[in-house]
Amino acid sequence: MTLSLYSVFHLNLAYSAIEESQHQEVIDRCYWPLLGAIESENWPCGIEFSGLTLERIEEIEPTWVEKVVDLAQEGLVEIIGSGYSQIIGPLVPEIVNQKNLEFGWEVYQGLLGISPSIVLIPEQAYSAGYADVLREFGIESFVMEWNNPRSAHPEWGASMLYRPQNVRTASGESPHVLWNHSVTFQKFQRYAHGELDQQDILLWLSRH
C-alpha cells in the first residue's frame, strides 16, 4: 500500500513570539518562499490563516494575497479557514464562536472571493459542540490532531490514522476529519531549522 500524504501550512502573524515589526520579514522569508515552492514544484497543498492574519498580509503585501488567489484558481492551493481570530473554541460561549467564524468568512470572501469548506481547528482544541457550530457555516470537513485524542482512546486502532474518518457532533451530525500528525509536523519544523536532514524525514515517513 502507498502512503498518501497531504500538507496544510498554518500562517499566523498573531503568534506571540513575532513582533509586529517582524511581519514583513516573515512574509518575505516564509510566506513568499512557500508560494514559490508550490508553483515551481507544481505541488498542491493547503494554506490556512485566520481572517486577522489575512488582513495583515493584505495591509503589508497585497500582491501576496493576489498570488495565493491565482494559485487557488489553478488548483494548487486550497484555502483552509479557521475564523477571524485563533481562539480556543471550547473555552468561549457559542455566540463568540459563531461571530468569530462569521467575521472570518467575511474576510475570506472579501479579500479572496473564497469561502473555505475545510477548517483547521484553532489550537487543535476540539469539542462536539464546536463541531456543530462549524456545521452551521456549511463546513463539511476539518483538520484535527490525531495524537492527543488517540492517547485518550486506547481502543482506537493505529490503522485509523490512515483511513477516512467521521466524527459524531453533539447534535448527531457526522463531518469528516483529516488527521494532523503532530510528531510529523514537529519533525518537519526541526528539518526547517536544520536540526534534521532530509534522510531523517524520509526515514520517519517510510515507517508509516
Side-chain angles (χ1 to χ4, degrees):
M1 179 182 294
T2 300
L3 178 65
S4 297
L5 300 172
Y6 57 89
S7 297
V8 175
F9 286 85
H10 166 62
L11 279 53
N12 180 19
L13 287 177
Y15 181 51
S16 58
I18 302 174
E19 299 291 342
E20 188 171 326
S21 60
Q22 296 175 302
H23 287 177
Q24 180 72 66
E25 182 181 5
V26 172
I27 294 170
D28 291 342
R29 296 184 60 184
C30 302
Y31 296 178
W32 273 118
L34 173 60
L35 298 189
I38 290 169
E39 186 171 39
S40 65
E41 300 295 331
N42 198 37
W43 170 41
C45 68
I47 297 180
E48 178 274 331
F49 33 61
S50 67
L52 185 63
T53 288
L54 181 59
E55 283 182 335
R56 182 62 176 153
I57 298 173
E58 168 71 18
E59 178 184 341
I60 299 171
E61 196 88 5
T63 53
W64 189 94
V65 178
E66 294 171 5
K67 185 64 176 180
V68 86
V69 170
D70 290 343
L71 292 175
Q73 292 173 344
E74 294 174 22
L76 285 175
V77 166
E78 181 159 18
I79 302 300
I80 311 296
S82 59
Y84 185 73
S85 182
Q86 189 172 303
I87 61 177
I88 301 176
L91 296 185
V92 299
E94 182 179 27
I95 185 63
V96 175
N97 285 315
Q98 291 170 332
K99 290 299 182 183
N100 188 50
L101 291 167
E102 178 185 330
F103 296 154
W105 259 247
E106 287 177 1
V107 175
Y108 299 139
Q109 189 61 48
L111 294 182
L112 304 175
I114 294 171
S115 293
S117 60
I118 300 177
V119 160
L120 176 71
I121 300 289
E123 302 296 345
Q124 300 293 265
Y126 171 83
S127 72
Y130 184 71
D132 270 328
V133 176
L134 295 178
R135 295 287 288 137
E136 293 174 14
F137 284 80
I139 303 302
E140 300 286 345
S141 309
F142 58 83
V143 180
M144 179 60 203
E145 184 192 33
W146 158 261
N147 306 75
N148 280 327
R150 169 71 195 294
S151 68
H153 291 275
E155 73 278 9
W156 290 1
S159 63
M160 284 180 61
L161 171 63
Y162 308 107
R163 298 176 181 173
Q165 301 293 337
N166 294 76
V167 297
R168 185 72 64 191
T169 71
S171 67
E173 298 285 345
S174 56
H176 309 292
V177 57
L178 297 169
W179 293 123
N180 156 36
H181 196 271
S182 61
V183 176
T184 300
F185 84 67
Q186 289 161 4
K187 286 182 178 292
F188 186 79
Q189 285 178 321
R190 293 178 64 191
Y191 167 68
H193 285 279
E195 297 171 10
L196 294 177
D197 61 26
Q198 188 178 83
Q199 283 304 115
D200 294 322
I201 296 292
L202 294 176
L203 178 60
W204 164 255
L205 294 176
S206 71
R207 293 172 178 166
H208 292 267

